[in-house]
C-alpha cells in the first residue's frame, strides 16, 4: 500500500513500511525512510510509486481551471469526490492526484478549507482576482520590456516622468524603481550611473545642484515677495568718502573703508557696513524671506542670494553712490594705538570699488616700501600698518608663518578656471583685521548696553554660537559678533538691528530672552552648515571637471597622512589606494586612472616619489580660518579642500574661495 500526502506545501508519494494507530513508517521512491502522521495522508493507492507524481502532473496540465470552477458546487468538497464527479466514474489514483494538484495550484479559483478540501471562489471575487492577475502579468511584461530598453541604454518615457523620484528620493515600492533596480542589477551598475548612461541626466552639474535645491529650495529660488525697501535719505552725510576691496565677481558689496587725517597726527579710520536693517523691518515679507534663506548660497559660477536684487541694490556699496551705512570710526595715533572708537548710523559716498585683480599689482608685499603709483597706495599702506598692529594686539601675529594659497573658481560657458592667489596678502590682511575689529567691538558695544546679540565663540577648541558675549580663543578676542555681511547673512542682519538700536538709543528689535533670536540662531547654524557643505561639494565637482577638461593624466601631490594626499594646484584631497607608507609632506607623482564627476570620485595610482624637498604640512590657526575662509562652515576648525574635519586642525596651507571674495566678508565664513 502506498500513500499520497502533503508535506511543506508540496505533494509527495511513498510506500508504507509499517503502520500504527496514528502514524506510519514510509519509504520514498529514492529509498529514504521517514515517519508520517496518519492525518497528513490524503489518499491511499496500490499502483507503483515510481512515476506516479510525473503521471499526475502530466494529467493536471490537461485540466482547464475555468471548466473545473464551473463544475464545482458552492459547498466545500474533497478532491477525491470532485474527481469522481469530474470524470464521471471512479478516478484512477493518478487522476485523483491530478485534481488535487490542479486545485491546490489555483488559490484564486479554489479556496483551501483543510487538507484535501476546497471551495470554489465566488464569481465576483474570482473576477476581481483574475483582473488583478492580468494586471500583474501586463506589468511584468511591461517591466521586462523596459528593463531591456534600459539595458540597451534607452530611457522609457514612463520612467522619465518619475525621474525626480528615481534620482533623489527612491520609492522602492514603485514600479519605476523596481524596473530600474532590475536593469541596474542585470548590468551591475549603480542606479544613477545607469540613468546617466540612458541620457536621463544630461547635466551632471545640474544633477548635483538639483539635489540641493530639492531639499532647501523645493519651491524654487525665486523670491515670494516683490517688496522694494526704501533706503533712508534723512541720515547725516559722512565727511569722508569710502572705498571697498573685493573680488571682481562680487556684486553684494557690504563693507567699505575710509581714511581721514585729523589734527595732531591722528588718523581716523572708518569701517563702513551696508545697512539693510534700516529698510527691512522685523517680520516684514522681506525679513521672513531672509530668515528662511538665512544666507547667500555660494558655488562656483553661481549663487543664490539671501535677498532679492531689488533689495541688494539700494544698500550695496556701489561706486559713485551715496548709501546708508553703520560705521565704526577708529581714531589712530601715529604709533598705531587706537585712541577712541565711535559708531554712527549715517550715509556715505562710495568713491571706488577696488578689485583684487587690478589692485594687487600695485599693493602687495613688494610694493609696501615705496609708492606704487596707485591713487589709494598711501591710505592702503597706513591701513596695512594698522592691521598688523591689530593682529599683534590679538596675539596672532606670526611673520614666520609660511605663505598659504587661496583658490578662486571662475566658470564661463561651462569652462572652469581655477586661479590660485597667495593668502594673507596685504590687501587680505587689511580687510580681515578691520572686519575682526568691527565684529569684536560691536559685540562689546552690545554687551556693554546689555542688548542681546548672536555671538561666535570658541572655548577649549569647540566653536559654537551663543546669545551671550563669550571669548573666542582662536581669534584672541573677548567676544565676536558677526555683523559685517548683512546683505549675505541673516545673523549679521540681526546683529545690525541690535547695534543700530544702541547707536540710536532705541529699543532693541530683539529683547532679552527673545525666543525669536534663539530660534534664528539655531536655524542659521544648521542651514549655514548645509550651505557650506554644498559649496564644498560643488567645488570638488569643478576640481574633477577641471581634470577632465584639461585632459590631465599625471598629477603631483603632497602626502597629508597615510594614503591621503593633497593635489598640486587644486584645492582637492583624495585617497590613493595601494600607495606605500610615506611620511607626511612627501611629494609624489600620481597617474589619473578615472575621474567620475557623477559619483564625485577620483581614482589615482601611485607612480613614484618625487625628488623634491618634503613639504611641511601647515596647521591653519583659528584666527585665519575665522577671518579669511569663506568656504568653511566652522572656519576655525575645518579642512575645506578635503573631506576631512577636525576641531583642532585646519587646511594645510590651501583654502578654497568662490565667486564672492572671502576677504570682503571680513571675518568670512
Amino acid at each position: 500500500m502506498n500513500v499520497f500526502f502533503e508535506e511543506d506545501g508540496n505533494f509527495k508519494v511513498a510506500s508504507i513500511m509499517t503502520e500504527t494507530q496514528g502514524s506510519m513508517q514510509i519509504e520514498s521512491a529514492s529509498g529514504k525512510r521517514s515517519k508520517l502522521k496518519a492525518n497528513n495522508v490524503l489518499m491511499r493507492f496500490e499502483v507503483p510509486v515510481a512515476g506516479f507524481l510525473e503521471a499526475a502532473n502530466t494529467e493536471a496540465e490537461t485540466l482547464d481551471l475555468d471548466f473545473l470552477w464551473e463544475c464545482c458546487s458552492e459547498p466545500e468538497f474533497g478532491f477525491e469526490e470532485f474527481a469522481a464527479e469530474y470524470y464521471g466514474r471512479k478516478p484512477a489514483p493518478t487522476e485523483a492526484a491530478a485534481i488535487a494538484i490542479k486545485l491546490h495550484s489555483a488559490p484564486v479559483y479554489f479556496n483551501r478549507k483543510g487538507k484535501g478540501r476546497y471551495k470554489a471562489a465566488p464569481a465576483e471575487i474570482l473576477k476581481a482576482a483574475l483582473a488583478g492577475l492580468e494586471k500583474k502579468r501586463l506589468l511584468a511584461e511591461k517591466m521586462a520590456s523596459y528593463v531591456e530598453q534600459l539595458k540597451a541604454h534607452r530611457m522609457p518615457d514612463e520612467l522619465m516622468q518619475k525621474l525626480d523620484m528615481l534620482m533623489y528620493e527612491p520609492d522602492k515600492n514603485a514600479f519605476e524603481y523596481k524596473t530600474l533596480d532590475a536593469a541596474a542589477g542585470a548590468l551591475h551598475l549603480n542606479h544613477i550611473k545607469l540613468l546617466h548612461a540612458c541620457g536621463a541626466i544630461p547635466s551632471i552639474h545640474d544633477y548635483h545642484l538639483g539635489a540641493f535645491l530639492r531639499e532647501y529650495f523645493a519651491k524654487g529660488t525665486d523670491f515670494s515677495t516683490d517688496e522694494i525697501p526704501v533706503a533712508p535719505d534723512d541720515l547725516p552725510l559722512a565727511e569722508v568718502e569710502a572705498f571697498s576691496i573685493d573680488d571682481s565677481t562680487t556684486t553684494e558689496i557690504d563693507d567699505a573703508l575710509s581714511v581721514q587725517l585729523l589734527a595732531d597726527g591722528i588718523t581716523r579710520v572708518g569701517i563702513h557696513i551696508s545697512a539693510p536693517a534700516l529698510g527691512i523691518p522685523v517680520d516684514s515679507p522681506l525679513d521672513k524671506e531672509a530668515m528662511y534663506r538665512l544666507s547667500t548660497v555660494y558655488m562656483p559660477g553661481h549663487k543664490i542670494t539671501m535677498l532679492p536684487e531689488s533689495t541688494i541694490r539700494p544698500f550695496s556699496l556701489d561706486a559713485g553712490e551715496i548709501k546708508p551705512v553703520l560705521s565704526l570710526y577708529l581714531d589712530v595715533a601715529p604709533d598705531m594705538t587706537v585712541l577712541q572708537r565711535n559708531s554712527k548710523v549715517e550715509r556715505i559716498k562710495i568713491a571706488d570699488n577696488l578689485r583684487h585683480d587690478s589692485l594687487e599689482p600695485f599693493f602687495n608685499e613688494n610694493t609696501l616700501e615705496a609708492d606704487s603709483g596707485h591713487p589709494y597706495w598711501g591710505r592702503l599702506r597706513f591701513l596695512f600698518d594698522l592691521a598688523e598692529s591689530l593682529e599683534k594686539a590679538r596675539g596672532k601675529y606670526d611673520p614666520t608663518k609660511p605663505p598659504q594659497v587661496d583658490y578662486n573658481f571662475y566658470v564661463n560657458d561651462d569652462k572652469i578656471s581655477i586661479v590660485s592667489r597667495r593668502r594673507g596678502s596685504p590687501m587680505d590682511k587689511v580687510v580681515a583685521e578691520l572686519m575682526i575689529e568691527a565684529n569684536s567691538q560691536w559685540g562689546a558695544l552690545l554687551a556693554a548696553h546689555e542688548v542681546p546679540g548672536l555671538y561666535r565663540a570658541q572655548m577649549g577648541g569647540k566653536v559654537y554660537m551663543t546669545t551671550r558675549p563669550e571669548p573666542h580663543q582662536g581669534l584672541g578676542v573677548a567676544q565676536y559678533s558677526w555683523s559685517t555681511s548683512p546683505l549675505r547673512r541673516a545673523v549679521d542682519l540681526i546683529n545690525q538691528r541690535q547695534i543700530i538700536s544702541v547707536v540710536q538709543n532705541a529699543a532693541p528689535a530683539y529683547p532679552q530672552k527673545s525666543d525669536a533670536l534663539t530660534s534664528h540662531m539655531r536655524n542659521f547654524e544648521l542651514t549655514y552648515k548645509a550651505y557650506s557643505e554644498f559649496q564644498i561639494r560643488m567645488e570638488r565637482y569643478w576640481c574633477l571637471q577641471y581634470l577632465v577638461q584639461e585632459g590631465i593624466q599625471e598629477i603631483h601631490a603632497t602626502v597629508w597622512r597615510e594614503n591621503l594626499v593633497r593635489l598640486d594646484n587644486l584645492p582637492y584631497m583624495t585617497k590613493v589606494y595601494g600607495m606605500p607608507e610615506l611620511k607626511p609632506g612627501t611629494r609624489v607623482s600620481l597617474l589619473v586612472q578615472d575621474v567620475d564627476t557623477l559619483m564625485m570620485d577620483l581614482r589615482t595610482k601611485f607612480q613614484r616619489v618625487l625628488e623634491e624637498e618634503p613639504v611641511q604640512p601647515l596647521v591653519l590657526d583659528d584666527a585665519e580660518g575665522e577671518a579669511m575662509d569663506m568656504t568653511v562652515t566652522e572656519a576655525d576648525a575645518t579642512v575645506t579642500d578635503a573631506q576631512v574635519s577636525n576641531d583642532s586642525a585646519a587646511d594645510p596651507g590651501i583654502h578654497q574661495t568662490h565667486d564672492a571674495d572671502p576677504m570682503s566678508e571680513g571675518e568670512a565664513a
Side-chain angles (χ1 to χ4, degrees), residues 496-547:
Q496 187 177 84
R497 288 171 174 155
Q498 301 297 80
I499 297 164
I500 288 176
S501 73
V502 173
V503 174
Q504 295 184 333
N505 195 27
Y510 305 94
Q512 290 286 355
K513 299 181 180 180
S514 168
D515 291 338
L517 194 66
T518 304
S519 176
H520 291 327
M521 179 184 72
R522 291 173 178 169
N523 292 339
F524 176 83
E525 282 194 288
L526 294 174
T527 303
Y528 198 65
K529 179 182 179 182
Y531 287 3
S532 297
E533 289 173 350
F534 166 69
Q535 179 186 338
I536 293 170
R537 180 175 179 81
M538 294 309 294
E539 288 173 344
R540 290 180 66 80
Y541 162 80
W542 281 110
C543 286
L544 294 176
Q545 185 61 32
Y546 178 82
L547 294 176

Side-chain angles (χ1 to χ4, degrees), residues 4 96 108 112 130 176 218 224 239 266 286 288 297 327 347 358 376 420 449 482 579 588 593 619 626 639 651 659:
F4 174 69
V108 171
R112 188 176 180 188
L130 290 176
E176 295 81 6
S224 60
E239 299 176 356
I266 305 299
L286 272 175
K288 290 178 180 178
V297 183
S327 301
R347 292 179 301 138
S358 58
Y376 283 88
S420 63
H449 289 79
W482 271 340
M579 185 175 71
V588 296
Q593 294 181 309
V619 175
E626 187 76 38
V639 179
D651 175 28
D659 63 342

Side-chain angles (χ1 to χ4, degrees), residues 222-238:
D222 292 339
F223 289 89
S224 60
T225 177
D226 54 2
E227 179 183 3
I228 299 177
V230 178
D233 57 4
D234 57 348
L235 298 172
L237 182 63

Side-chain angles (χ1 to χ4, degrees), residues 21 47 54 68 92 152 184 186 240 295 310 323 405 471 473 486 498 553 567 593 610 617:
Q21 184 175 358
V47 298
E54 290 78 1
L68 288 176
V240 294
S295 170
S310 59
K323 296 294 179 69
V405 178
Q473 294 176 336
Q498 301 297 80
Q553 300 297 319
L567 303 185
Q593 294 181 309
L610 299 175

Side-chain angles (χ1 to χ4, degrees), residues 267-282:
T267 302
R268 177 166 292 168
V269 173
I271 305 169
H272 311 283
I273 306 301
S274 170
L278 295 172
I280 305 177
V282 176

